[in-house]
Amino acid sequence: MRNFQACPEPNRWQTSAHYMRQTARCVYDEDPTNSDEAMRVALIEDIFIKSWSYAVLNKVFFWASLVFGLLVLFWPTLVAVFRVEPVPPTDPDAPVPKPPLVQRAFAAPSMQTTVTALAALCFAFYAHYKDKQAVSETLMRTVLFSAQIEQPLIDRVLAEISEMDRGFGFAKALPQFENKGQ
């Protein structure tokens, strides 16, 4: 049994993937000639790369969804506050001036719909990348804490890594919507 007690405490700002990578290096990097230990570290390093990128994308879309969500919430108030009525001309035959393009675009219902759609899209990407980050961290835990690295485990891990390498695809989301009307 490995001594996980000797590894440093996790930093409160690091992700689980960072901590598991640090722990794997601490526990299994002692003997580079041991193929089991070398395989564990190599697999964890490969998974870490994916987990790190998922964590970055997860954070980007989290903050974007938060900003767009707040915009959706406050958009009607912002339109009312910044709405400027055109001043009618003193000459009845003169054309009524239009508000500037920015004000017209800001008040357009299509703009509010666009902001709402962007908020929904950011929430969807956030959920997708959060799920992928959780899957990669769970895979790292499996490799880190399994008793032995055997071929069935390696095959399963490599299949999961291959799935991660495929990335995001709308084809994966479509089957969820195909049977909804039946």
Side-chain angles (χ1 to χ4, degrees), residues 61-137:
F61 284 111
F62 170 79
W63 288 107
S65 65
L66 190 64
V67 168
F68 282 118
L70 289 173
L71 273 175
V72 167
L73 184 65
F74 293 115
W75 196 270
T77 304
L78 294 173
V79 169
V81 168
F82 293 112
R83 183 175 182 178
V84 177
E85 295 293 331
V87 177
T90 54
D91 182 12
D93 293 332
V96 176
K98 288 184 176 180
L101 179 63
V102 173
Q103 282 182 332
R104 289 194 320 248
F106 192 70
S110 60
M111 184 61 84
Q112 185 173 4
T113 303
T114 302
V115 169
T116 305
L118 285 172
L121 187 64
C122 287
F123 278 117
F125 279 127
Y126 162 69
H128 172 76
Y129 287 117
K130 183 64 177 172
D131 181 55
K132 291 294 186 181
Q133 181 184 358
V135 166
S136 65
E137 288 174 352

Side-chain angles (χ1 to χ4, degrees), residues 37-47:
E37 292 181 5
M39 181 66 70
R40 283 180 198 267
V41 172
L43 288 172
I44 287 173
E45 290 288 338
D46 191 19
I47 299 166

Side-chain angles (χ1 to χ4, degrees), residues 49-66:
I49 293 167
K50 288 145 187 55
S51 182
W52 179 85
S53 63
Y54 291 145
V56 168
L57 290 167
N58 169 21
K59 286 172 183 58
V60 167
F61 284 111
F62 170 79
W63 288 107
S65 65
L66 190 64

